[in-house]
Amino acid sequence: MEKQGNGKTALITGGSRGIGRGIALVLASEGYDVAITYSTQKEEGEKVAKIIEEEYGRRCMVYQASMELEETPGRIVDQAVRDLGKLDVLVNNAGITIFQSIVEMDLQKMNFLINLNFKGYLLAMQAAARHMIERGIKGNIVNITSTRGERAYPRDSLYGGLKAGINRAVQSIALDLAPYGIRVNCIAPGATAVRDTEESKAFYESLGPRIPLGRMGTPMDIGHAVAWLVSDKASYITGQTIKVDGGLILPGMPEVKNGDTDNGWGFVWRRNKK
């Protein structure tokens, strides 16, 4: 049964699991009708939709979307507008992480990540902004980046560099769209518990206590930050990147212990021996 909503709508790319799932659930709990995309996990997307419809009484559209293809972001935004009636909020979240040293970087993976994590974000923002301007909607665009866009790690020039690029691009886009009352920002998560394998759980238990606030982040933490950022309570904020990391990167690299070679985030930090 449909509950009272707030009359607003949101599109969350990559909303079938992990951080995107947390964002979709929080926005639905705040009264948004939502649309989410998935790349390959259709069942996961349908599970999210079922929760949103049954527990929160909101509509949830589910789309398969290969966001690395340049024709996809605009098509998905248009589809969400048709199905939801309008678009108040876009959350760019779909993306993957690839770690490789510059000396071993694969060109195919490089192009894929650039298209998905950077170009896809820009094209979705372009389509959403055009819709909001045409309809006179003073909407919000939020890009999920990473604290890796601010802190350098080994084997992270591509992923971290692209996240840094979005953080910077948003500053200019915010200036472009401010005259229309459209706010554009980034949320930069730190270490966030998004997997439930035994190996992942063991890593989270190891890393959590080393984070200044004493625990791993959760997808719901990111969801609540997004919900606040797109609300009227944050109506004077645009062009900003807000870290949601429990203080992770403040002291340096707490996730790397003395003597560690693998920090559990997908790379091994090896020092050449002479």
Side-chain angles (χ1 to χ4, degrees):
M1 184 172 65
E2 187 165 313
K3 299 179 183 178
Q4 184 67 34
N6 62 12
K8 292 188 176 182
T9 64
L11 167 63
I12 304 99
T13 68
S16 63
R17 54 183 178 171
I19 287 174
R21 179 181 184 273
I23 295 168
L25 293 178
V26 172
L27 289 181
S29 74
E30 295 281 337
Y32 283 79
D33 288 331
V34 302
I36 63 173
T37 73
Y38 68 91
S39 177
T40 59
Q41 302 293 322
K42 181 179 180 180
E43 290 186 2
E44 295 299 316
E46 291 174 344
K47 288 178 182 178
V48 173
K50 185 175 181 180
I51 294 172
I52 287 173
E53 292 166 356
E54 294 184 357
E55 294 190 16
Y56 301 122
R58 308 313 310 157
R59 291 185 294 158
C60 181
M61 311 300 168
V62 182
Y63 310 130
Q64 192 287 324
S66 300
M67 299 298 289
E68 75 278 6
L69 302 177
E70 63 183 29
E71 67 271 14
T72 300
R75 175 179 61 81
I76 289 298
V77 169
D78 290 345
Q79 184 67 54
V81 169
R82 286 194 297 271
D83 291 341
L84 297 174
K86 61 171 181 168
L87 189 62
D88 296 290
V89 172
L90 166 68
V91 181
N92 273 320
N93 170 73
I96 63 170
T97 305
I98 295 176
F99 296 125
Q100 286 187 323
S101 166
I102 189 65
V103 298
E104 61 190 32
M105 195 171 293
D106 177 86
L107 180 59
Q108 185 175 1
K109 289 182 178 179
M110 181 190 299
N111 286 332
F112 181 85
L113 209 66
I114 290 170
N115 289 335
L116 177 61
N117 287 17
F118 191 81
K119 184 190 290 185
Y121 276 38
L122 293 182
L123 291 174
M125 283 191 276
Q126 180 185 65
R130 287 174 174 173
H131 162 71
M132 292 173 184
I133 292 169
E134 180 182 341
R135 298 281 189 92
I137 297 171
K138 295 183 178 180
N140 278 272
I141 297 173
V142 178
N143 299 279
I144 304 304
T145 59
S146 172
T147 54
R148 289 181 175 274
E150 300 186 31
R151 173 75 65 189
Y153 294 85
R155 304 182 72 210
D156 193 30
S157 59
L158 183 56
Y159 176 82
L162 292 173
K163 293 301 187 182
I166 290 295
N167 289 344
R168 168 58 183 83
V170 156
Q171 295 174 10
S172 291
I173 295 169
L175 293 175
D176 292 340
L177 300 182
Y180 304 99
I182 300 169
R183 296 191 293 113
V184 189
N185 293 288
C186 295
I187 293 286
T192 307
V194 296
R195 298 180 180 87
D196 59 4
T197 66
E198 291 303 315
E199 183 179 3
S200 296
K201 290 177 181 177
F203 170 65
Y204 298 155
E205 290 175 2
S206 173
L207 175 56
R210 283 182 264 168
I211 295 171
L213 286 185
R215 67 171 177 87
M216 295 288 295
T218 70
M220 300 301 276
D221 288 327
I222 310 305
H224 288 300
V226 170
W228 171 78
L229 190 54
V230 302
S231 74
D232 290 342
K233 295 177 182 179
S235 62
Y236 204 50
I237 298 175
T238 195
Q240 302 302 309
T241 297
I242 299 175
K243 296 189 293 292
V244 183
D245 71 342
L248 173 69
I249 68 171
L250 294 176
M253 296 174 69
E255 66 273 30
V256 180
K257 291 180 180 177
N258 291 334
D260 277 358
T261 56
D262 187 339
N263 80 342
W265 276 11
F267 65 75
V268 177
W269 191 354
R270 297 186 180 91
R271 292 178 175 85
N272 292 327
K273 295 182 180 180
K274 294 184 179 180

